[in-house]
Amino acid sequence: MPDPAVPPTPPVPLDALLARADLGLRRIAGPADPAVVVHWAHTSEMADPYPYLLGGELLLSAGVHVPDGAGAGYFDAYVSRIVAAGGAALGFGVAPVHDAVPGALVEACEMHGLPLVEVPPRTTFSAVARALWQLMAQARTAELRRVTEAQQSLATAAARPDPVPSVLQQLARRLGGHAVLYGPEGTRLAGAGPEPGEEVRTALAKLAEVVRPPSTGRLRTPSPEGPRPPSAGHTRASSPGHRVGSGPDAPAGSPSDLHADLAARPSSASDTVAGVRLVAHALGNGEGFVLGTAAPQRDAGDHTIASVAAVLLSLLTGERHSGSGAGRSSALVRLLLGAAPAEVAPLLGGDRWRVVHGRPDGRAAPDAVTASALGAALGSSLVDVAGEVVRVLVSDGRAVERVPGWTLGVSAAAAPRDWPAADTQAARALARARATRAPLLRHGDRPTALTDLVPPAEADAHARALLAPIEQSPALVDTLRTWLSLHGSWDRTAVALDVHRNTVRQRIARCAALLDADLDDPDVRMELWFALRRT
């Protein structure tokens, strides 16, 4: 975690500020180290600025606090307090108080290793602060541009036929180092970029163990002293010292032991070995994969770039190695090769499924991202966008509940051979839900209905004969069915069918004329509804 005192803007090298010709700044003491960076500028005339500094400042002073006749002791104490507070550099303004930088101040800064910058009379402290913020804004823009370009290249790499090696190669190039993917057992699956030395490789592999969660299929027995942290450097995320079970006698490898270990392990850890920056990211698919990086330096935006790569690799390894992903792929191939839905349904993980039709409450048509979000909310990745409606196939074992921002129609649970009928049920339930402004409606799932009392063949023959005058016009059939289901409401039927209410009136009048029936008669309505239920 970064120091909370450090601002989110990238720091500016002190040399970049000195290079501004319009400021005329000059370093007159302290190390000429290009690694010295400034996080902000602060003006203070306090004799002891320590309580007012956060660290990383360019402290600006005109020497108002310097008493007459101040000697080496005063300046030594003054500079030592700035160094103790973590000040990055001291800028001393020449005029109006002092005609030149005091020699004792120069000696104190040289002795304590604090860069001392002379600010000429024509340059105001406000101009220095403004120049610093301008340089920070430029650095931030460059960082955002670098991160954006890296994200685009990583996404492109993930779409290649060999996505995992391509993502690692792009990541290594963007970081200027080495990237490696470790498997659940700690084995090296793929790598890219210049190979580091043996010491760095060993340390990176150990760092991966710090963040790798154990899976339920490969519980590891911990050693008495717990997993060892990396052998060298300064690890920023420590590994747990021991596992915590549900009691003093909880066996190693028990479920409670696993949950405690998962809670204790960090999602990322960093270390520095032989001058090389090491970082390990646990991939979010829960399968035990770990991404490791080794780079000679740490630039702004590196953590964001590596995090993007970790997300992409989580998706790639999860889809490639998970049973559900393999089952969906196998089911699709078999369907394309002519297999029946009933044959491939077991590959999807269940025997009975519900079809859910969803429509966003806004007027915008759903896109692939919106549809995926609905599928995730319903716990299914079997999603299809069909115009303004999203269709989701949900296992009967999962409860279908309301989803904010969506209107849903849910079918009855159905075996694969009945999926087409379930699709129709979901469509009708959605139309009724929209008409009644209900967020979710389910198709009625009664074990015994009135239609079950009539032999199916006779019921079908009666329905065909009764509806024969309008069967050639699907619009009339759908309008009549919707209108009857909504108890003859013109407005609700218009909403459900996305047509004008006058269109509904015209169609119902046409149905009455073709059927030669009084649609205001409840007996006629009941008989027509019976027939429509058979179609």
Side-chain angles (χ1 to χ4, degrees):
M1 293 296 293
D3 188 338
V6 176
T9 54
V12 173
L14 180 60
D15 287 349
L17 196 61
L18 296 175
R20 289 282 296 257
D22 59 319
L23 299 177
L25 304 180
R26 185 169 64 96
R27 178 167 36 212
I28 59 176
D33 186 357
V36 175
V37 295
V38 178
H39 289 278
W40 39 41
H42 176 66
T43 301
S44 174
E45 296 298 344
M46 302 296 294
D48 181 12
Y50 181 93
Y52 309 98
L53 300 181
L54 296 176
E57 297 95 343
L58 169 62
L59 178 62
L60 299 171
S61 172
V64 177
H65 59 87
V66 180
D68 294 337
Y74 176 85
F75 288 110
D76 179 74
Y78 176 68
V79 173
S80 65
R81 293 291 283 173
I82 297 174
V83 173
L90 172 63
F92 194 89
V94 178
V97 181
H98 297 269
D99 296 331
V101 180
L105 177 60
V106 176
E107 293 176 0
C109 289
E110 195 69 43
M111 182 177 62
H112 288 281
L114 178 68
L116 176 60
V117 178
E118 181 187 72
V119 182
R122 63 180 177 84
T123 302
T124 64
F125 289 171
S126 295
V128 175
R130 181 175 60 187
L132 179 61
W133 286 114
Q134 288 174 348
L135 292 172
M136 285 183 174
Q138 294 172 5
R140 181 60 172 168
T141 300
E143 175 188 344
L144 293 175
R145 183 182 298 111
R146 174 173 176 260
V147 170
T148 301
E149 292 174 352
Q151 289 176 334
Q152 293 173 347
S153 65
L154 289 170
T156 301
R160 291 176 57 88
D162 52 344
V164 172
S166 297
V167 169
L168 291 175
Q169 185 176 6
Q170 276 296 326
L171 177 61
R173 186 170 74 86
R174 295 290 174 175
L175 299 183
H178 182 70
V180 59
L181 178 66
Y182 297 103
E185 301 300 332
T187 56
R188 176 189 172 99
L189 299 181
E195 284 285 346
E198 179 64 27
E199 181 183 7
V200 174
R201 289 200 303 270
T202 302
L204 186 57
K206 289 183 177 180
L207 192 65
E209 290 300 316
V210 173
V211 302
R212 175 179 290 108
S215 69
T216 55
R218 51 174 187 84
L219 291 173
R220 294 172 292 180
T221 303
S223 60
E225 67 274 13
R228 298 180 181 272
S231 58
H234 308 286
T235 306
R236 295 299 302 273
S238 60
S239 60
H242 61 276
R243 296 189 180 190
V244 181
S246 58
D249 300 323
S254 66
S256 59
D257 198 35
L258 170 64
H259 295 157
D261 191 79
L262 286 171
R265 290 177 181 262
S267 59
S268 65
S270 62
D271 195 9
T272 301
V273 175
V276 179
R277 173 77 172 180
L278 310 180
V279 182
H281 297 266
L283 301 191
N285 53 28
E287 297 291 329
F289 293 88
V290 176
L291 169 65
T293 62
Q297 62 184 16
R298 183 177 185 271
D299 295 328
D302 283 356
H303 181 76
T304 302
I305 294 172
S307 298
V308 172
V311 171
L312 291 173
L313 291 172
S314 297
L315 297 174
L316 293 171
T317 54
E319 180 69 20
R320 176 171 296 184
H321 296 276
S322 67
S324 60
R328 290 194 299 271
S329 177
S330 179
L332 175 61
V333 171
R334 294 191 188 186
L335 283 173
L336 293 175
L337 295 180
E343 179 183 337
V344 304
L347 298 174
L348 301 178
D351 297 328
R352 295 174 64 81
W353 297 73
R354 297 181 188 272
V355 179
V356 179
H357 280 213
R359 186 162 174 171
D361 293 341
R363 290 192 172 273
D367 54 17
V369 175
T370 305
S372 297
L374 176 61
L378 296 176
S380 174
S381 60
L382 301 174
V383 180
D384 172 51
V385 181
E388 297 182 344
V389 174
V390 177
R391 303 188 297 178
V392 186
L393 201 58
V394 181
S395 174
D396 186 32
R398 297 190 67 94
V400 179
E401 304 294 344
R402 294 182 179 183
V403 178
W406 289 85
T407 300
L408 303 179
V410 186
S411 75
R417 65 177 180 275
D418 297 323
W419 284 351
D423 185 48
T424 302
Q425 292 174 0
R428 294 174 181 173
L430 174 61
R432 184 173 176 82
R434 293 186 65 242
T436 57
R437 293 181 174 84
L440 183 147
L441 279 181
R442 307 176 191 274
H443 177 78
D445 204 2
R446 295 176 297 174
T448 302
L450 181 62
T451 55
D452 298 329
L453 302 178
V454 182
E458 295 182 15
D460 292 342
H462 175 73
R464 287 194 299 271
L466 186 62
L467 299 175
I470 61 173
E471 66 178 354
Q472 298 302 320
S473 177
L476 294 181
V477 175
D478 289 343
T479 302
L480 181 59
R481 177 186 290 110
T482 305
W483 183 73
L484 290 175
S485 71
L486 296 172
H487 311 291
S489 172
W490 308 107
D491 292 333
R492 291 184 177 182
T493 303
V495 171
L497 297 176
D498 281 334
V499 297
H500 195 275
R501 67 192 306 273
N502 290 340
T503 302
V504 176
R505 287 183 176 275
Q506 293 170 2
R507 291 179 181 177
I508 295 300
R510 181 64 176 162
C511 289
L514 293 175
L515 296 172
D516 192 19
D518 180 7
L519 298 184
D520 291 330
D521 187 335
D523 290 335
V524 172
R525 290 193 182 192
M526 182 182 66
E527 189 175 10
L528 287 173
W529 182 249
F530 173 87
L532 288 167
R533 295 270 293 178
R534 305 300 304 181
T535 61

